[in-house]
Amino acid sequence: MAEVQEKAARLADVAKAAGVSQGTVSNVFNRPEIVREEVREHVRGVAKQLGYRGPDPKGRLLRAGKVNAIGIAASEPLDYFFTDPFARELMRGISDECDARGAGLSLVSARNAEGLAWNVQSALVDGFVLLCIEGGERLVELTRERQLPFVALALGRQDDTISAIGIDDFTAAKQAAQHLLDLGHRRFGVLALDYVDNRTGVVTEATLEGATYSTTRDRTLGYFSALEAAGIRRDDVPVYETANHKVGTIAGLQWMFEGSNPPTALLAMSDKVAIEAIEWVKGRGLSVPGDVSVVGFDGVPEAALAEPPLTTIAQPIAEIGRRAVQMILEPSPRIRRETLPTELVLRATTAPPRRG
């Protein structure tokens, strides 16, 4: 029985066995065109016998100091990048910019806390784009330990030490509510995203005050700002935390519409939730927008394809992704924080409420 090799063969072992210099072995694997054919074949044959597969690309990249790749880290499971409409559009912008620069991508999930440190520390990247950064203090801490550039795609809690790209959620949400007010609506319901992790249900003032996720909090406050200015009290506006899932959305709608005075207008904090709400409303024999108007949030491509096409607050999702890549691959010593504009896109899911 052949003796088991205790350690992997190194470049120096191949050079010694082949009777050539280490520089020649290196050239065979990295610059073969400058080595004579017979020498190349001899060295490769010896390397194969020893089980040497060539220089470790990780070592070469690290020595170069730049790998021309970025890491995308999220506090969601990895399938979030492929199943969520917002994430898909964001990744389109990121990948388009990476393609234009010949750069690669590495996806890192922060969902598994035990493996997070290893995932961040071992990723061969020039920097990180952090998604769902709010509540992800550990992710920020680990990324900082790598001493690589990173940018958050949500402004999150006030922290002037973090480069970030985002939108003005408060103003955008206020515009959505004002649009419905201008149409004459007075009975509203809010289908919210997460205020804290792993929770769905009826939202109270205490829920809002204890919110971990500032995006959800700011959108809620934006809605309330417009509604209160029109004389509508917060207590008269049902708000339900859906966690951006269909089950939570349906539960929220059932709760809102079980009474005798249901909403005539729904404010959804994502297009995904808005589209699910449209299907539920129509399934009850009601019309959109005849009986219920719906305004979404994000401006994903699916919004224009909904039936009827969805009125929504559109944010420049792909542009946010492109700018994030630029920040990583063109790092600056200063902190950069950008707030991009949003737009109210009017389609066919909003109309004045029925009289009576």
Side-chain angles (χ1 to χ4, degrees):
M1 182 175 178
E3 182 179 353
V4 177
Q5 191 170 345
E6 294 184 356
K7 60 181 180 179
R10 301 171 301 172
L11 182 146
D13 300 324
V14 176
K16 181 177 180 180
V20 298
S21 69
Q22 293 185 36
T24 297
V25 176
S26 178
N27 286 334
V28 166
F29 286 95
N30 296 311
R31 303 170 63 196
E33 69 279 0
I34 69 172
V35 183
R36 296 197 313 274
E37 182 178 357
E38 62 271 21
V39 176
R40 288 202 308 267
E41 295 302 319
H42 173 60
V43 170
R44 290 187 183 278
V46 172
K48 184 176 182 180
Q49 290 177 352
L50 295 178
Y52 178 73
R53 299 181 179 179
D56 185 352
K58 292 184 291 185
R60 183 170 68 251
L61 291 171
L62 291 174
R63 286 192 298 273
K66 188 175 179 64
V67 299
N68 202 32
I70 63 172
I72 315 297
S75 57
E76 301 284 346
L78 285 176
D79 65 1
Y80 167 76
F81 295 106
F82 310 103
T83 60
D84 184 85
F86 175 88
R88 286 200 302 266
E89 183 67 4
L90 181 68
M91 290 302 295
R92 183 180 70 82
I94 290 174
S95 59
D96 283 351
E97 186 66 21
C98 285
D99 282 343
R101 294 169 175 265
L105 287 172
S106 177
L107 302 182
V108 177
S109 173
R111 197 66 169 183
N112 184 336
E114 296 179 358
L116 175 59
W118 168 256
N119 292 340
V120 172
Q121 292 296 333
S122 63
L124 285 175
V125 296
D126 295 313
F128 288 93
V129 176
L130 307 182
L131 308 184
C132 305
I133 189 61
E134 300 134 308
E137 291 83 3
R138 178 60 174 160
L139 183 56
V140 172
E141 176 187 347
L142 290 169
T143 307
R144 279 179 165 151
E145 289 177 2
R146 283 292 305 269
Q147 298 184 6
L148 292 174
F150 69 93
V151 57
L153 298 191
L155 297 181
R157 296 178 178 177
Q158 186 60 39
D159 187 340
D160 294 334
T161 69
I162 297 176
S163 291
I165 306 173
I167 62 170
D168 184 342
D169 287 288
F170 177 92
T171 300
K174 184 176 180 180
Q175 184 180 22
Q178 188 62 53
H179 167 61
L180 292 169
L181 285 166
D182 291 343
L183 290 173
H185 289 277
R186 303 292 295 179
R187 302 203 311 268
F188 292 82
V190 175
L191 295 166
L193 300 179
D194 306 59
Y195 291 90
V196 296
D197 287 324
N198 303 317
R199 182 190 182 278
T200 61
V202 177
V203 174
T204 65
E205 193 67 28
T207 308
L208 183 59
E209 292 175 356
T212 299
Y213 292 95
S214 66
T215 294
T216 308
R217 181 196 64 223
D218 291 348
R219 291 181 189 180
T220 307
L221 293 175
Y223 294 149
F224 284 162
S225 176
L227 298 178
E228 288 177 324
I232 299 173
R233 300 185 313 125
R234 293 190 186 189
D235 290 345
D236 294 331
V237 181
V239 182
Y240 198 92
E241 187 175 8
T242 69
N244 206 30
H245 293 307
K246 185 173 184 177
V247 172
T249 300
I250 292 174
L253 289 165
Q254 290 173 337
W255 171 66
M256 291 179 189
F257 282 81
E258 67 183 5
S260 60
N261 204 30
T264 64
L266 293 172
L267 290 158
M269 288 194 191
S270 78
D271 289 343
K272 179 176 181 288
V273 167
I275 293 169
E276 290 167 349
I278 291 170
E279 293 304 312
W280 185 89
V281 170
K282 293 194 301 184
R284 286 175 60 93
L286 301 174
S287 68
V288 176
D291 295 305
V292 182
S293 287
V294 182
V295 177
F297 204 115
D298 284 336
V300 299
E302 289 85 348
L305 302 175
E307 184 54 46
L310 177 65
T311 293
T312 186
I313 294 290
Q315 55 176 314
I317 305 171
E319 179 62 21
I320 289 172
R322 284 189 286 269
R323 294 198 186 195
V325 174
Q326 293 165 9
M327 278 193 183
I328 297 301
L329 297 182
E330 300 172 8
S332 169
R334 64 183 180 84
I335 301 300
R336 293 185 286 184
R337 298 177 71 83
E338 297 185 21
T339 302
L340 302 186
T342 58
E343 177 188 4
L344 174 63
V345 178
L346 299 177
R347 295 196 179 103
T349 57
T350 54
R354 291 191 192 277
R355 292 194 177 189

